[in-house]
Amino acid sequence: VCFFVNQKITVMKIENYFRRKFLFAGILLLGVLCACQETLMEPAPDELSAEKSAVTASVAPMGTLPSGALYEIVLPVPVWNALPQRVILVYAPGYEDADSPLELPDDVLENIPIKDFVLSKGMGYAATSYRENGLVVVDGVEDVIMLRATIQNYFDTNPQYLAPHAVVLVGPSEGGLVTVLTIEQFPGYFDAAIATCCPIGDFYGQLQYYGDAHVLFKYFFGPSINGINLGSPKRISKHTMDAWDDESLPDAIEEVLRHDYMYNSGNKVRQFVDCANIPVDVAYPERTIRVIKEVIRYPIKATNDAVARMGGNPFNNKLPMREYSGSDNDRKLNLTVERIKRKGWDTAAQNVALLYETSGVLSTPLITVHKLNDHITFYKHQTDYISKVNENSPWPQLLIHISVPGECAHC
């Protein structure tokens, strides 16, 4: 009860701050923030249905940006021109596997499509697929800027629709990193932004987290499972990625984890989670199994794409030698775990620092939301980013951060 009271007080502060500093986007930011927090001020289904019924039609330009990215712009036509504060939410989607088909995002909040949620609140909605899937952060920033220009052009060439008072950029996970990099690199293009559960503090550290999970999982459970090779942070074979897509590899991973719980009291699972610093309580087997599979997905599906985009392999646990701890025999672990530092690491590390790391220099109001027990993008990103802003931004008060407690979960 105290948590929700405190959260409501925090939300009121946010609304007051943005009303004072930014006038028209306070309610928008408040609404999206509450939706991201799941239990806080979530509209009831009948309330949402009533709001949606008021929006009986929309205009939905769809097309392709110059980069090849898909886009759409949707307005609640019956109410748009009459709104006292016309706001468009631009949605920067999260990570999609590199080999997935290119599509516009269809993300949901509590089983409600984000587009429908936004329109039901009397706001406009725009989104892009990016030009490709995978680790497309750099291209994603460019595509978002192209979409912003397309929105401007749409209103310039369709005078029957009044221009928005504000355009707000919102993104979860990888889309959150795209969001923060966009407002840092292109100040003034957006009036405010929200970034949720995203790797904005230490992207290099995020890559090490996935690589560590990969080599440590192989140390505790073997380099192959049910005849499926787990690959390496060096490279993942097509056969292994296909096995992930057809569910045979996730099923095999679940089988060995359940076997460890059943016949070994979960001892290997405990050691793996501790050594890999995965924030999950192993006393809950079902949750732990789900979390481990979700973490391992990224090294299996994203390694090859990351190496290609960064001009080399960014994972390095060899020089200097990373010391792992949390096992029953750390000396043995550190002597025998797979060690990697590939040719091209220097180039990859430089590209990460230059292209993927945030600066903390803000001139646009930003709300960041992060779950304390996020197992995909660790919470420390938020404290690191707050430090960057305090050190580098002339207006650190433009950043407001919301921490969300609860069980291990990702936005």
Side-chain angles (χ1 to χ4, degrees):
V1 173
C2 290
F3 163 69
F4 288 114
V5 169
N6 289 336
Q7 288 295 292
K8 288 180 180 179
I9 292 172
T10 301
V11 166
M12 285 167 33
K13 290 179 180 177
I14 291 170
E15 181 180 351
N16 290 335
Y17 172 83
F18 277 94
R19 281 189 177 277
R20 186 170 66 253
K21 295 289 185 180
F22 178 54
L23 298 181
F24 12 56
I27 289 294
L28 165 68
L29 294 169
L30 179 62
V32 176
L33 170 63
C34 292
C36 289
Q37 292 187 81
E38 299 179 344
T39 54
L40 174 60
M41 299 175 65
E42 179 69 28
D46 55 343
E47 175 187 350
L48 185 62
S49 297
E51 291 174 353
K52 286 178 66 176
S53 65
V55 184
T56 57
S58 63
V59 56
M62 300 178 66
T64 304
L65 298 174
S67 65
L70 306 177
Y71 78 89
E72 65 176 335
I73 304 169
V74 190
L75 300 180
V77 168
V79 297
W80 178 255
N81 285 351
L83 291 171
Q85 297 172 357
R86 294 180 298 278
V87 179
I88 290 184
L89 184 148
V90 176
Y91 187 64
Y95 179 86
E96 294 288 342
D97 292 335
D99 54 1
S100 298
L102 194 65
E103 298 175 336
L104 286 166
D106 58 356
D107 298 353
V108 298
L109 292 171
E110 291 293 294
N111 298 318
I112 303 168
I114 287 177
K115 178 167 64 175
D116 293 345
F117 174 84
V118 171
L119 291 172
S120 75
K121 301 301 181 183
M123 295 180 287
Y125 171 87
T128 176
S129 64
Y130 309 135
R131 66 194 69 182
E132 293 179 314
N133 289 323
L135 194 61
V136 292
V137 174
V138 178
D139 293 338
V141 171
E142 294 182 358
D143 290 337
V144 165
I145 292 300
M146 288 182 193
L147 177 57
R148 180 65 183 89
T150 301
I151 293 170
Q152 183 65 50
N153 181 68
Y154 178 77
F155 284 99
D156 289 345
T157 56
N158 290 272
Q160 68 270 32
Y161 301 116
L162 296 178
H165 293 107
V167 181
V168 179
L169 182 59
V170 179
S173 196
E174 181 183 56
L177 177 57
V178 169
T179 293
V180 174
L181 287 173
T182 298
I183 63 171
E184 286 183 350
Q185 296 171 11
F186 297 90
Y189 279 65
F190 293 90
D191 300 292
I194 305 173
T196 68
C197 298
C198 47
I200 58 177
D202 179 8
F203 192 76
Y204 179 80
Q206 183 70 45
L207 298 173
Q208 305 311 298
Y209 174 69
Y210 291 143
D212 286 339
H214 196 174
V215 297
L216 289 166
F217 188 89
K218 293 199 302 176
Y219 173 83
F220 288 109
F221 298 102
S224 63
I225 300 177
N226 286 2
I228 304 170
N229 189 285
L230 294 176
S232 163
K234 299 175 184 176
R235 182 181 176 276
I236 307 295
S237 71
K238 185 178 184 302
H239 176 264
T240 299
M241 290 191 287
D242 288 345
W244 189 273
D245 292 339
D246 67 20
E247 299 293 330
S248 57
L249 181 51
D251 289 348
I253 289 174
E254 181 169 337
E255 181 181 339
V256 299
L257 297 176
R258 291 191 182 280
H259 186 274
D260 186 64
Y261 268 112
M262 185 174 296
Y263 297 105
N264 192 33
S265 301
N267 188 46
K268 286 185 178 180
V269 172
R270 173 189 59 78
Q271 294 179 76
F272 167 66
V273 165
D274 287 348
C275 292
N277 296 310
I278 299 174
V280 64
D281 187 346
V282 296
Y284 300 92
E286 295 300 325
R287 182 188 305 167
T288 301
I289 291 169
R290 170 184 62 81
V291 162
I292 290 175
K293 289 198 300 182
E294 290 175 356
V295 170
I296 296 300
R297 171 199 166 205
Y298 287 89
I300 297 298
K301 292 294 292 181
T303 291
N304 294 354
D305 185 52
V307 171
R309 292 182 184 277
M310 295 175 185
N313 195 315
F315 181 65
N316 174 16
N317 67 343
K318 185 175 182 179
L319 294 172
M321 189 176 80
R322 186 167 301 147
E323 290 284 340
Y324 299 106
S325 62
S327 72
D328 292 345
N329 189 338
D330 288 344
R331 183 174 183 274
K332 178 184 176 184
L333 165 62
N334 283 292
L335 285 173
T336 57
V337 72
E338 183 180 15
R339 297 286 179 179
I340 295 169
K341 183 183 181 183
R342 300 286 284 176
K343 182 180 179 180
W345 172 82
D346 291 337
T347 299
Q350 290 170 5
N351 285 333
V352 169
L354 180 65
L355 301 173
Y356 295 84
E357 299 289 8
T358 58
S359 67
V361 178
L362 283 179
S363 59
T364 300
L366 170 66
I367 287 180
T368 60
V369 183
H370 210 122
K371 295 190 175 181
L372 290 170
N373 292 313
D374 190 338
H375 57 291
I376 301 299
T377 55
F378 42 84
Y379 180 80
K380 188 175 181 294
H381 283 294
Q382 299 305 309
T383 56
D384 287 348
Y385 189 69
I386 291 170
S387 296
K388 287 184 181 181
V389 171
N390 288 334
E391 292 172 5
N392 300 326
S393 179
W395 303 286
Q397 69 273 20
L398 291 175
L399 174 65
I400 293 180
H401 172 64
I402 302 296
S403 301
V404 183
E407 67 178 58
C408 207
H410 182 59
C411 291

